[in-house]
Amino acid sequence: MGAGAKHRLVFVDRLLATLVHLRHGVTHDVLACWFGVDRSTITRAVGEVRPLLAERGCTVSPDVRLRSPAEVVDHLGSSGTTGIVDGTEIRVRRPATGRKDRDTFISGKNKQNAVKSMVVTDGEGRVLWCSPARPASCTDITQARQLGLVRLLADGPAVEILADAGYQGLGAQTGGRVMTPPHRKFKKNAPHWYEEMYERQRKAHSSRRIRVEHGIAHLKNWRALARHLGRREQMSDTVQATAGLLSPQQTVDLKPTRQT
């Protein structure tokens, strides 16, 4: 404790530099010019503050922060609100030639090098939690299982979780707590009444689940998540730090008051 070079930036300046880097994607060189220090000083400051922001969790009320899937499930059960889950991909730099795990970052959907994070929001699209980043080759349902979401929902309180077709199969494993779009029962020679009913059910589910896309869009407004040009190992802290910084803004009542 206390060893190493002393900081040339006070904590407030280190925090400000990290916030500007996450929000606007400003490079360390530019930040070093702004604060009048060396680039390595900014790199050290961001590397120390970013994990602290990631550990804060997402704010859902002034006295409640959610930091794990278990806390999210307990919050949804106690509040009686609906949760929505979806995965989002963030483009990253391509791994160097010769790495044995080079292909694991290639997304099967976008055919690009990316990492994937699972985002959980409430029914209004407010971000409740973001998972650590995984290589984009990992499917949505596999990531949910590895995070222990199936066990938490099966053994936890009765909650309703909306998900897209990438999570089909979790409903049976969680006692119906995960709701996915309906299966198409007739692949051909369907009755004339079936297509209309199927489209109506699918659109009804999509209209409820679309809120999670709004929450992800707010996350992607932060330049650090639009496309990451730094180390892939830092993505987990970057995603969770951004979610923690965004969540207090979403808890504020933004409805304008009508003046008479």
Side-chain angles (χ1 to χ4, degrees), residues 9-199:
L9 289 175
V10 297
F11 180 76
V12 174
D13 288 340
R14 282 180 276 158
L15 176 61
L16 179 60
T18 305
L19 294 178
V20 174
H21 172 67
L22 293 176
R23 183 65 179 88
H24 300 288
V26 180
T27 63
H28 293 184
D29 291 325
V30 175
L31 290 173
C33 293
W34 287 355
F35 286 92
V37 296
D38 191 75
R39 181 184 184 278
S40 61
T41 302
I42 297 297
T43 302
R44 179 189 177 190
V46 174
E48 292 178 350
V49 175
R50 182 170 44 204
L52 298 179
L53 296 176
E55 294 174 359
R56 294 174 67 246
C58 294
T59 303
V60 295
S61 64
D63 56 344
V64 177
R65 292 182 184 273
L66 305 179
R67 300 180 177 87
S68 66
E71 294 179 356
V72 173
V73 174
D74 291 339
H75 168 72
L76 294 175
S78 60
S79 61
T81 57
T82 299
I84 314 175
V85 61
D86 197 8
T88 182
E89 294 183 354
I90 304 164
R91 291 184 61 186
V92 295
R93 294 188 301 175
R94 189 177 185 182
T97 304
R99 287 193 55 173
K100 62 179 181 180
D101 57 347
R102 191 184 191 195
D103 295 338
T104 60
F105 289 93
I106 299 179
S107 169
K109 179 173 63 175
N110 297 324
K111 308 302 181 184
Q112 297 174 341
N113 291 275
V115 294
K116 178 179 295 185
S117 178
M118 188 178 73
V119 181
V120 183
T121 68
D122 61 8
E124 299 298 325
R126 289 185 287 263
V127 178
L128 301 180
W129 184 71
C130 288
S131 72
R134 291 291 310 277
S137 60
C138 180
T139 61
D140 292 345
I141 190 171
T142 299
Q143 187 177 26
R145 289 167 176 165
Q146 292 176 350
L147 292 170
L149 186 62
V150 175
R151 177 181 54 82
L152 292 173
L153 292 175
D155 301 336
V159 297
E160 182 185 48
I161 304 293
L162 302 179
D164 62 6
Y167 297 90
Q168 283 184 346
L170 291 186
Q173 298 176 3
T174 58
R177 289 173 171 82
V178 177
M179 300 180 61
T180 56
H183 288 279
R184 181 182 290 275
K185 296 182 179 180
F186 300 93
K187 295 184 179 180
K188 57 182 180 179
N189 299 328
H192 65 279
W193 51 266
Y194 178 76
E195 287 298 331
E196 181 181 356
M197 183 188 68
Y198 173 79
E199 288 297 325

